[in-house]
Amino acid sequence: MNDRRKEIGGPFDALGYLHLKNGMTPGEVAETLRWTGEAESADIEALNADNPDGIRHQLNRPVSRIIDADPRFACFLNHPAAAPYLETFLGADYRHIDNELYYTYPGYAGGNWHRGVSSHANGHVSQGAFICPMVKVFYCLTDVGPGEGEFAVVPGSHRSGAEEQEPHAFDDVSAGDMILFNEGLLHNGLPNLSTKTRKTVIVNFGRMDAAVWPGYKPSPRTLSAAAEPQRAILTNEASGVWREPDLSNAPP
């Protein structure tokens, strides 16, 4: 934990992201790919029978609420390579916001630059503490090279007025890598000019007071199946639609 605190005011603060090489073992990657193959045919309407309106808030490329589709994916809520960073940035009682099994298919034309929360004058660091309300983790299940639908960010764009930097494309990804980033960072998916499908498990995290994103409230079955630490992460105490906290009066 102490070593990871150096990222606050250090690399994570400066860039807005971390690229963790080999966060997952080859065995973990192979096992997760088996799970994804089984999950690809999930009945999305049946999965959302508890909240049919939730589908319109989901991405489903191919399966949103992947933890509900297959509770084995709950292991990504507190993966030992990512959890210490999440605890450092969001607090030991961090919470789940949403989750995806996300594919970037051949022929994908690319997305639009966007961010999940507003940028902040000091990059969401205040008096040595990280105050960003949302951190996302990409668990990369496939190698990704240039032109293969790589994920891209604008380094430093979580800081207000720093949006003119050159984008950084994650075109040196190996299966098992993890990418953690501040959701105030401008990010995008680039065109996939290859014949490969980029496969990623994506989990979005927030602080204790974060509400789950609309359409992503975990089912009672999932909460029952999850181990205790994972159940706590899935149990959001905040209610209603997720809203970005007001950071306008946060001290510099």
Side-chain angles (χ1 to χ4, degrees):
M1 178 76 75
N2 290 336
D3 288 343
R4 292 172 180 87
R5 281 203 60 83
K6 296 176 183 177
E7 299 290 347
I8 299 176
F12 186 77
D13 175 40
L15 297 173
Y17 67 86
L18 291 175
H19 184 174
L20 304 181
K21 290 286 191 177
N22 304 311
M24 301 171 63
T25 67
E28 285 181 288
V29 173
E31 183 175 40
T32 305
L33 285 171
R34 287 195 296 272
W35 299 347
T36 65
E38 296 168 8
E40 288 171 6
S41 59
D43 184 331
I44 301 303
E45 291 190 4
L47 178 62
N48 289 279
D50 58 333
N51 181 19
D53 184 56
I55 297 177
R56 68 185 180 91
H57 296 285
Q58 299 172 4
L59 300 178
N60 286 314
R61 288 180 44 191
V63 184
S64 295
R65 290 179 67 185
I66 187 61
I67 297 173
D68 283 308
D70 185 343
R72 290 179 295 184
F73 283 88
C75 65
F76 294 106
L77 294 167
N78 61 340
H79 190 282
Y85 290 98
L86 295 169
E87 292 173 1
T88 298
F89 299 147
L90 298 171
D93 53 2
Y94 68 85
R95 291 293 184 263
H96 152 270
I97 294 177
D98 57 68
N99 65 94
E100 305 278 344
L101 175 60
Y102 190 85
Y103 288 1
T104 301
Y105 298 102
Y108 176 65
N112 299 310
W113 291 98
H114 62 283
R115 52 166 56 97
V117 300
S118 299
S119 57
H120 189 264
N122 292 316
H124 300 95
V125 172
S126 173
Q127 299 182 355
F130 185 71
I131 59 173
C132 182
M134 190 188 297
V135 172
K136 188 169 282 186
V137 182
F138 281 16
Y139 298 94
C140 305
L141 303 179
T142 52
D143 297 345
V144 184
E148 295 180 348
E150 57 267 46
F151 178 60
V153 299
V154 178
S157 57
H158 57 305
R159 295 174 176 269
S160 302
E163 289 82 5
E164 300 303 320
Q165 302 296 318
E166 287 294 318
H168 168 74
F170 292 90
D171 57 7
D172 59 345
V173 168
S174 298
D177 288 1
M178 299 177 183
I179 301 169
L180 290 77
F181 65 98
N182 179 328
E183 264 283 4
L185 198 68
L186 283 170
H187 55 280
N188 194 3
L190 301 184
N192 188 352
L193 308 177
S194 74
T195 59
K196 296 168 56 177
T197 297
R198 176 167 70 91
K199 298 184 178 183
T200 314
V201 172
I202 301 176
V203 188
N204 202 6
F205 297 97
R207 295 189 173 280
M208 177 63 177
D209 59 355
V212 69
W213 195 259
Y216 289 84
K217 183 178 180 180
S219 70
R221 170 180 169 271
T222 299
L223 293 175
S224 176
E228 180 52 40
Q230 298 159 356
R231 188 179 307 122
I233 295 167
L234 288 168
T235 305
N236 300 65
E237 296 185 359
S239 60
V241 176
W242 186 91
R243 299 184 188 279
E244 179 183 350
D246 181 7
L247 301 177
S248 59
N249 295 318

